[in-house]
Amino acid sequence: MNPTVAVLGLGAMGLPMATHLATITEVHGFDPNSQRSALADDAGITTHASGAKAAADADVVLLAVRNGAQLHDVLFGDDGIASSLRSGAVVLMTSTVGIEPVKAAAAQLLELGVDLVDAPLSGGPVRAGQGDLLVVVGGTPDARHRAAPVLEAMSSTLVVVGDNPGDGQALKTVNQLLCGVHIAAAAEALALADSLGLDPTRTLDALQSGAAASFMLGNRGPRILEAYNEDGAEVLSRLDIFVKDMGIVTTAARGLGLATPVASAAEQLYLIGQAQGLGALDDSAVIRAVAPNKHSH
């Protein structure tokens, strides 16, 4: 089965996912940014002037949006796609926007005969382009089955969390707590190493060889070391995304009466970075919230 796919949102994650899917099936796309649409055209994706036109004949509509407000707008706003989706279509929600916005959108779509599969993902743009993502899924067995060819093409690890939209967001919230804390901790550690006069590259290599190693230290560490360069590190994940994600984490925990002091401290670092004008930079720039200037020895 090769379902027709529409990808709405051709940003840092949406475009590589669409490009990868276009190697195996027919992919339509839309992004309000004409430059992103032009890149998609070059990659063999059929782009359209609106999300509704891109999604009209799709079996699976993949959404890559920034937050809950964008999710609602794409589906139910003035130019929303919900009314143009064919009955039996599946909306695949790939972004981290929190549990409640996804539950609300799923309930509204169900009234139109459209299922939502909650499938937030982790792995970054390079792995998105290789179909090598971790995807955590919440959705009815029938909806998951219809979305399965796309889910399997996107992922190297596919974890079914539960049968309800929102279940995927719940696990992704836990995932983002750890990712956000790990990046902040890596930045703090490397700022300390710099202040102590240690060679940063050799320090990072040594740390990655011992018990302090982590995926995020290995992945973000080299980029953290570029954060003080004139242009900073290449932007693979914006700092303000972690302002959003850590906000989702702490809001969820607060609603449950659960204390998350470490996550809350990390959230404050990202907020400080955003207030310093670092929001559009790579999240590795959070070291500049810890230590605004590189230590000179």
Side-chain angles (χ1 to χ4, degrees):
M1 176 188 171
N2 270 4
T4 300
V5 179
V7 178
L8 307 186
L10 300 167
M13 291 296 286
L15 182 58
M17 283 192 289
T19 302
H20 175 68
L21 290 169
T23 65
I24 56 173
T25 194
E26 183 182 344
V27 177
H28 299 259
F30 169 72
D31 194 284
N33 183 321
S34 59
Q35 289 179 311
R36 301 304 293 183
S37 293
L39 289 171
D41 284 329
D42 293 343
I45 296 149
T46 305
T47 59
H48 297 262
S50 72
K53 287 179 180 173
D57 297 319
D59 301 303
V60 178
V61 179
L62 189 157
L63 301 183
V65 296
R66 183 176 289 274
N67 51 36
Q70 275 194 6
L71 169 63
H72 186 273
D73 192 51
V74 166
L75 291 174
F76 309 112
D78 292 341
D79 298 314
I81 67 165
S83 58
S84 66
L85 295 176
R86 62 177 193 75
S87 183
V90 178
V91 170
L92 199 58
M93 179 57 193
T94 69
S95 309
T96 305
V97 300
I99 299 162
E100 295 309 320
V102 167
K103 283 184 174 179
Q108 279 187 264
L109 286 171
L110 203 55
E111 293 176 9
L112 302 170
V114 174
D115 283 302
L116 185 146
V117 172
D118 176 24
L121 40 86
S122 183
V126 173
R127 288 171 62 184
Q130 298 166 343
D132 185 27
L133 295 166
L134 162 65
V135 184
V136 293
V137 182
T140 66
D142 176 60
R144 296 197 315 259
H145 174 72
R146 282 180 282 141
V150 178
L151 289 168
E152 288 165 6
M154 290 160 51
S155 63
S156 55
T157 305
L158 188 63
V159 181
V160 176
V161 186
D163 293 338
N164 301 300
D167 291 342
Q169 294 292 321
L171 182 51
K172 187 65 193 298
T173 300
V174 177
N175 185 83
Q176 293 311 90
L177 183 155
L178 287 167
C179 289
V181 166
H182 286 174
I183 294 169
E188 230 174 72
L190 291 172
L192 177 61
D194 181 49
S195 296
L196 289 169
L198 296 170
D199 178 270
T201 305
R202 289 170 63 187
T203 298
L204 184 56
D205 288 345
L207 293 171
Q208 275 297 99
S209 301
S214 71
F215 173 85
M216 278 303 192
L217 181 64
N219 181 269
R220 295 303 201 275
R223 284 149 63 185
I224 288 170
L225 300 185
E226 296 174 6
Y228 295 105
N229 295 353
E230 186 177 347
D231 296 325
E234 180 187 359
V235 181
L236 299 180
S237 173
R238 286 169 56 125
L239 185 143
D240 58 12
I241 294 291
F242 267 100
V243 173
K244 169 186 70 83
D245 286 2
M246 297 310 281
I248 290 170
V249 168
T250 56
T251 299
R254 192 178 304 114
L256 297 165
L258 180 72
T260 51
V262 178
S264 297
E267 180 185 18
Q268 294 301 311
L269 273 185
Y270 295 113
L271 282 165
I272 291 166
Q274 181 174 258
Q276 291 175 342
L278 308 176
L281 299 184
D282 189 74
D283 57 32
S284 57
V286 74
I287 192 173
R288 288 165 56 180
V290 179
N293 301 300
K294 188 170 172 62
H295 199 83
S296 55
H297 306 298

